[in-house]
Amino acid sequence: MNSERWIERELAKLNAHLPMKRISLSEALKSKKPQVVGRNGSVHEFERDELELLASILPESEWDSLFLPILVSFDPKLGRGTAKITGEVEAKVVSQLLGKKCAGGELLVYLPEIASLRRKLPTVTQYFFMV
Amino acid sequence: MAAPMAISPTRMELIKLRRRISLAQRGHDLLTEKMDALIIEFFEVLKRVKQARTNALRQLSAAHRALSVCLAVVGTIETQQASREARREIQLDASTRYIMGIMTPALRIERVERTVLERGYSIHFTSSALDDAAREFEKTLELLVELAELEESARAIARELEKTKRRANALEYIIIPRLEATIKFITMRLGEMERENFSRLKRIKAMLEARI
């Protein structure tokens, strides 16, 4: 196979697990089985404990603005081992969980922090690779 | 050093190769990022596996101790008879969970611990030592299911990690060096052609001047 096509296929596969449509925290809390469907057809369920943790951090007025899953975006431009959380509410929640200061609607996180975040929120966070 | 690819040394090919190398570099960077993320996931699962294994082994040892007491109190034949009479069906909900697109098992076991009557053996001919042993083994089963789920998840992540590493290595050690070597070959060949052209023109100019 042409190496160019092979690389393009590999890059396309990187984000195949991401959901076609994200749902808000309030929708997830109301749902009996909070879940999203990925681009590859996989079903990703959210744990209720994690949703409740997010609900306890955020005021109720912001539940509609937080979209799940929270994406931990890896961009090679940022350098190896660095990711960013985009979205004002998303960055606010993650900064509170990690005890970091958040400036604007973006938060940079590094590998040890990503590990800690994934430990706290394994189902409501997902990796996203900026292709 | 990687051998250059067999292509014609033209400027068009050079442009195409430069585009390909930048794509390959980007692919390599992203696969490296994916590997980092997988390593985080793998070590997290591994930590949980370690904890789950310790708990399961501790509980298993308690269960065997209770079984030894039971065998001593109730007797081997009676214990075996009771085990044959016991109900064996336990509800296990097996589904799948995805971690970065990797399919891992999700096992949910409903209440394993049963009451004496639910177990199904006769309570007239057995002792409470048997109930204790059965309870301990039921607790063990719950922990073993959790351990099985985590171990399989760790195995699936490790397989994906190996695949990703192989792809990143293929880009780093085969594809990118080969593209670089080809670019170097074309650049040198184009330079050589330019120099040949230049000296040819100079020679023609000298010949024309000599004729005049």
Side-chain angles (χ1 to χ4, degrees):
Chain A
M1 195 200 288
N2 185 345
S3 68
E4 205 169 347
R5 275 178 58 196
W6 173 72
I7 298 164
E8 274 167 4
R9 260 184 51 183
E10 286 301 320
L11 295 184
K13 271 198 276 181
L14 283 176
N15 290 322
H17 62 284
L18 288 182
M20 287 192 278
K21 189 175 171 273
R22 295 203 288 165
I23 58 168
S24 68
L25 176 61
S26 56
E27 273 178 86
L29 284 167
K30 276 178 214 155
S31 168
K32 269 187 184 172
K33 215 175 176 185
Q35 61 183 34
V36 285
V37 182
R39 288 183 207 177
N40 55 0
S42 60
V43 176
H44 181 81
E45 277 182 44
F46 300 126
E47 288 287 338
R48 195 150 295 273
D49 297 348
E50 293 173 40
L51 296 176
E52 277 158 15
L53 173 67
L54 291 177
S56 69
I57 293 172
L58 279 179
E60 209 174 329
S61 57
E62 286 184 315
W63 289 2
D64 283 321
S65 318
L66 177 67
F67 285 93
L68 302 175
I70 297 171
L71 299 178
V72 180
S73 319
F74 281 100
D75 187 349
K77 281 181 200 157
L78 295 173
R80 191 173 172 184
T82 312
K84 67 179 170 189
I85 313 284
T86 43
E88 208 168 303
V89 189
E90 284 86 347
K92 188 177 154 187
V93 168
V94 174
S95 66
Q96 281 195 31
L97 275 168
L98 297 175
K100 276 187 89 169
K101 274 189 183 169
C102 166
E106 212 174 78
L107 180 74
L108 286 182
V109 281
Y110 305 98
L111 282 182
E113 291 166 338
I114 297 168
S116 162
L117 177 68
R118 289 284 297 159
R119 205 175 302 132
K120 285 172 187 162
L121 304 172
T123 63
V124 297
T125 54
Q126 271 192 346
Y127 295 108
F128 167 54
F129 299 94
M130 296 262 206
V131 179
Chain B
M1 197 184 150
M5 297 184 299
I7 49 170
S8 52
T10 59
R11 287 200 189 278
M12 197 59 216
E13 285 297 340
L14 190 64
I15 291 167
K16 272 189 203 165
L17 280 173
R18 284 199 176 130
R19 206 171 47 220
R20 275 169 74 179
I21 204 165
S22 99
L23 178 73
Q25 197 63 56
R26 194 166 176 75
H28 176 258
D29 291 348
L30 282 164
L31 285 177
T32 317
E33 298 278 18
K34 183 182 176 181
M35 241 162 61
D36 289 344
L38 281 171
I39 288 169
I40 291 177
E41 295 300 319
F42 183 67
F43 279 107
E44 273 313 306
V45 174
L46 218 58
K47 229 183 265 177
R48 287 172 62 199
V49 166
K50 210 172 158 189
Q51 186 61 48
R53 191 176 291 157
T54 311
N55 292 345
L57 286 176
R58 194 183 301 132
Q59 184 54 41
L60 206 57
S61 136
H64 277 289
R65 216 174 303 125
L67 181 65
S68 305
V69 173
C70 170
L71 290 173
V73 174
V74 183
T76 312
I77 296 168
E78 286 80 2
T79 307
Q80 280 174 351
Q81 181 60 36
S83 78
R84 273 192 288 270
E85 286 169 10
R87 287 194 195 104
R88 287 148 198 266
E89 299 86 28
I90 281 171
Q91 284 292 320
L92 180 84
D93 179 18
S95 59
T96 49
R97 189 181 296 141
Y98 287 85
I99 304 172
M100 287 175 69
I102 309 162
M103 197 169 79
T104 58
L107 305 175
R108 241 176 238 158
I109 191 159
E110 296 301 322
R111 202 174 59 89
V112 182
E113 255 188 87
R114 299 179 290 190
T115 60
V116 179
L117 292 174
E118 278 173 336
R119 287 191 190 118
Y121 54 73
S122 162
I123 49 172
H124 296 292
F125 306 106
T126 54
S127 123
S128 66
L130 180 68
D131 303 337
D132 290 341
R135 192 173 48 248
E136 292 299 328
F137 272 102
E138 283 164 356
K139 278 185 198 165
T140 311
L141 187 63
E142 214 169 312
L143 294 172
L144 286 176
V145 168
E146 188 195 340
L147 180 63
E149 180 191 313
L150 288 170
E151 280 194 346
E152 191 45 45
S153 300
R155 231 171 269 139
I157 296 172
R159 274 196 296 268
E160 184 67 25
L161 190 60
E162 198 188 340
K163 261 196 257 174
T164 311
K165 194 170 169 59
R166 210 179 302 138
R167 282 167 193 157
N169 282 349
L171 282 170
E172 189 177 347
Y173 297 111
I174 300 170
I175 296 174
I176 295 174
R178 195 179 289 167
L179 289 170
E180 277 171 349
T182 315
I183 286 177
K184 195 177 167 191
F185 163 72
I186 294 180
T187 316
M188 281 168 64
R189 188 76 192 97
L190 287 175
E192 184 65 28
M193 278 158 75
E194 211 173 302
R195 280 191 295 277
E196 271 175 17
N197 234 4
F198 182 70
S199 60
R200 195 180 298 126
L201 286 173
K202 280 198 87 170
R203 177 96 180 110
I204 291 168
K205 194 181 168 193
M207 280 167 75
L208 286 173
E209 277 171 1
R211 208 177 285 175
I212 294 163

